[in-house]
């Protein structure tokens, strides 16, 4: 994530070795924090060999000190005051894994003001306050690392900023929320409705008691905001993202998508267009034979289309204590390698240096141009031609029309796959369809993503 210092021509024996222990303070010792402590302790020799020096957790802030002591024992100092960790004189880097956007912002800014590097897995914090945080870090010459905030075990930030640095990136698309992918997998594989699939996800610990951020697409939009900034060199634009969750998704549409040769996934898409960038999260139809359609359970996957490398895909766990810890500690290793490196030579926080940021506009919803799936309830199956005629009259390109299988159990339903069309045009066509006497209920629309190379 951060570039190692360029080797000097000065003989190795005349240069001091960098072997001082990197001292870490951590705020939060929940799922991610405890995993970080465990992996650091278990793999300390390998981690030190890669970092070039030992990495030691020296102090932890936690609300429940007894529970924290049960995790870290007596080898680590404990405090209930997170700000004490953020400003501690014996801490080189602060790991923030407590979550939230209020107090966490204060802790991170305080750490930066005291000249400390920051590692965080808090995507909401960065999506909302990242512009302020990264600016403060640049001014202080410290790093803010956040690989664990986006796709857990998948090193997608490093891939975008380093592995694909030579490329002009055209689009990024990802299944970046394990909870919703688990729910959609259950709806397809077991025929569950949304409520039953959500209840199962909660029972198994994949969903929180309040799953709003996950099922409404907000968590995925936080992550997509960071992906888009790194892919296109644009500012963080979370407030402009178009966000649609899966709470309104019906089992009948999962079945009908399958009938047409597709599967439904909650996808985050950032696509460069001539007029700006599409920045959207929504349930979409993906071809059933596409790799992305086979990402099941709580797994994550991100695809990137770039001009030189072509199409690349990254796959891995979308949740988990040690899985997230893997990314957090990888960030700590990168920070450990920064010793002696001038701040101007760090890999930029969002992939490009501040003076080269591209202020790309985010396209409004009506201007997004994609193919679509429509499910039109009709009073009789004979009205299939009327539905088609109405869409053509409204200048919607129609590629495929079919009747829903009876086993879908939803009465007479006309299924339509359109060619690419602007959302504004499709909205007008749906409004016209809805007004027709042949239409017996609400028209359902979903976008279709081919994810072609």
């Amino acid at each position: 994530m951060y570039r190692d210092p360029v080797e000097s021509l000065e003989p190795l024996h005349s240069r001091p070795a960098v072997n001082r222990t990197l001292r870490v303070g951590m705020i939060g010792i929940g799922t991610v924090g405890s995993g970080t402590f465990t992996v650091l302790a278990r793999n300390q020799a390998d981690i030190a060999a890669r970092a070039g020096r030992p990495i030691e957790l020296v102090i932890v802030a936690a609300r429940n000190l007894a529970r924290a002591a049960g995790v870290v024992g007596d080898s680590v100092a404990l405090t209930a005051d997170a700000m004490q960790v953020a400003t501690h004189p014996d801490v080189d880097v602060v790991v923030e894994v407590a979550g939230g956007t209020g107090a966490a912002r204060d802790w991170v800014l305080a750490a930066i003001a005291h000249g400390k590097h920051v590692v965080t897995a808090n995507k909401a914090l960065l999506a909302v306050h990242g512009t302020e945080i990264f600016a403060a870090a640049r001014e202080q010459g410290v790093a803010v690392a956040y690989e664990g905030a986006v796709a857990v075990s998948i090193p997608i930030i490093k891939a975008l900023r380093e592995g694909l640095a030579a490329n002009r990136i055209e689009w990024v698309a990802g299944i970046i929320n394990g909870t919703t992918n688990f729910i959609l997998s259950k709806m397809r594989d077991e025929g569950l409705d949304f409520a039953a699939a959500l209840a199962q996800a909660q029972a198994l610990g994949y969903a929180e008691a309040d799953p709003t951020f996950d099922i409404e697409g907000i968590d995925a939009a936080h992550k997509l905001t960071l992906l888009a900034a790194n892919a296109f060199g644009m500012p963080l634009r979370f407030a402009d993202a178009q966000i649609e969750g899966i709470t309104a998704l019906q089992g009948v549409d999962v079945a009908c998508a399958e009938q047409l040769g597709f599967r439904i996934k909650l996808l985050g898409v950032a696509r460069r267009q001539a007029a700006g960038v599409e920045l959207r999260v929504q349930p979409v139809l993906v071809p059933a034979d596409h790799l992305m359609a086979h990402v099941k359970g709580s797994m994550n996957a991100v695809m990137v289309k770039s001009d030189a490398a072509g199409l690349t895909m990254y796959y891995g766990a979308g949740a988990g204590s040690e899985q997230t810890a893997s990314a957090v500690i990888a960030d700590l290793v990168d920070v450990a390698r920064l010793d002696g490196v001038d701040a101007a030579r760090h890999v930029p926080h969002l992939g490009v240096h501040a003076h080269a940021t591209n202020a790309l506009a985010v396209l409004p919803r009506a201007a997004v141009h994609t193919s679509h799936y429509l499910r039109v309830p009709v009073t009789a199956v004979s009205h299939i031609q009327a539905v088609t005629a109405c869409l053509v009259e409204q200048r919607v390109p129609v590629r495929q029309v079919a009747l829903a299988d009876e086993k879908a159990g939803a009465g007479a339903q006309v299924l339509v796959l359109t060619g690419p069309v602007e959302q504004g045009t499709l909205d007008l066509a749906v409004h016209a369809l809805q007004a027709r006497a042949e239409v017996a209920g609400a028209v359902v629309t979903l976008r279709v993503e081919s994810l072609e190379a």
Side-chain angles (χ1 to χ4, degrees):
M1 189 181 301
Y2 298 94
R3 193 172 74 184
D4 290 336
V6 175
E7 289 295 327
S8 167
L9 296 178
E10 185 181 3
L12 287 173
H13 61 77
S14 67
R15 284 184 277 149
V18 177
N19 55 16
R20 184 180 65 79
T21 297
L22 183 75
R23 300 163 301 182
V24 178
M26 188 156 65
I27 300 173
I29 192 70
T31 299
V32 178
S34 60
T36 300
F37 173 80
T38 299
V39 176
L40 267 175
R42 186 177 69 225
N43 297 340
Q44 56 183 307
D46 290 330
I47 292 167
R50 291 176 175 130
R53 53 175 164 153
I55 297 176
E56 180 184 358
L57 184 62
V58 297
I59 186 169
V60 168
R63 286 190 293 267
N64 186 331
L65 295 182
R67 181 187 179 281
V71 175
V72 303
D74 57 6
S75 62
V76 178
L78 296 175
T79 178
D81 183 3
M83 197 60 78
Q84 182 183 352
V85 174
T87 61
H88 200 291
D90 294 330
V91 166
D92 303 308
V93 54
V94 172
V95 173
E96 186 281 306
V97 287
T101 59
R105 168 187 171 274
D106 297 336
W107 302 329
V108 166
L109 288 174
I112 291 169
H114 282 75
K116 304 182 190 307
H117 303 294
V118 172
V119 171
T120 182
N122 190 340
K123 57 273 186 180
L125 172 69
L126 296 180
V128 175
H129 298 299
T131 299
E132 177 186 18
I133 289 169
F134 293 137
R138 282 195 302 273
E139 184 175 340
Q140 290 294 326
V142 298
V144 176
Y146 52 92
E147 188 70 73
V150 178
V152 185
S153 66
I154 305 171
I156 186 60
I157 297 301
K158 186 179 286 291
L160 289 171
R161 292 201 304 210
E162 298 182 40
L164 297 173
N167 289 258
R168 175 182 171 84
I169 293 174
E170 298 175 17
W171 55 260
V172 179
I175 295 169
I176 46 179
N177 181 272
T179 299
T180 51
N181 201 51
F182 177 87
I183 291 170
L184 292 173
S185 296
K186 289 294 179 180
M187 291 178 72
R188 175 190 174 269
D189 296 342
E190 299 180 16
L192 302 181
D193 63 18
F194 170 78
L198 171 59
Q200 192 171 129
Q202 289 174 316
L204 293 172
Y206 288 114
E208 302 286 346
D210 180 1
T212 302
F213 267 35
D214 293 324
I215 62 177
E216 295 293 357
I218 299 167
D219 175 80
H222 287 148
K223 297 169 180 176
L224 183 67
T225 299
L226 294 166
L227 287 174
N230 281 279
F232 307 128
M234 63 185 287
L236 295 163
R237 301 288 294 276
F238 170 70
D240 297 323
Q242 299 151 37
I243 309 171
E244 179 185 349
I246 63 171
T247 54
L249 188 66
Q250 300 176 54
V252 62
D253 291 302
V254 174
C256 289
E258 195 78 16
Q259 174 188 334
L260 295 173
F262 294 85
R263 293 178 187 171
I264 297 178
K265 296 292 183 182
L266 184 74
L267 213 62
V269 178
R271 189 187 305 271
R272 191 197 299 260
Q273 303 284 17
V277 171
E278 298 174 18
L279 192 64
R280 51 191 172 86
V281 171
Q282 73 275 300
V284 304
L285 275 69
V286 177
D289 60 354
H290 196 283
L291 284 172
M292 196 68 85
H294 294 274
V295 178
K296 294 185 177 182
S298 63
M299 302 303 285
N300 279 191
V302 180
M303 300 193 79
V304 182
K305 174 63 171 65
S306 52
D307 64 340
L311 193 63
T312 53
M313 182 171 177
Y314 310 83
Y315 172 86
S321 175
E322 293 198 5
Q323 291 84 350
T324 312
S326 171
V328 169
I329 295 169
D331 282 342
L332 286 173
V333 169
D334 282 333
V335 168
R337 293 168 174 168
L338 288 177
D339 209 49
V341 180
D342 186 86
R345 292 168 57 203
H346 295 178
V347 172
H349 295 113
L350 293 173
V352 300
H353 289 280
H355 69 273
T357 300
N358 191 346
L360 293 169
V362 175
L363 294 179
R365 177 182 178 276
V368 174
H369 196 264
T370 64
S371 298
H372 291 262
Y373 153 94
L374 284 73
R375 177 171 58 82
V376 187
V378 289
T379 55
V381 295
S382 59
H383 295 317
I384 186 171
Q385 292 181 340
V387 169
T388 305
C390 179
L391 290 172
V392 171
E393 182 180 314
Q394 294 294 320
R395 299 181 181 177
V396 173
V398 175
R399 284 188 172 173
Q400 183 179 346
V401 183
L403 294 170
D405 288 343
E406 290 184 7
K407 63 183 180 182
Q413 307 278 329
V414 176
L415 308 180
V416 181
L417 292 177
T418 79
V421 59
E422 281 194 349
Q423 185 69 53
T425 300
L426 185 80
D427 289 345
L428 291 173
V430 169
H431 181 75
L433 262 179
Q434 206 69 72
R436 295 185 68 98
E438 299 94 336
V439 176
V443 177
V444 173
T445 69
L446 294 167
R447 288 186 172 130
V448 177
E449 290 288 345
S450 62
L451 302 176
E452 295 175 347

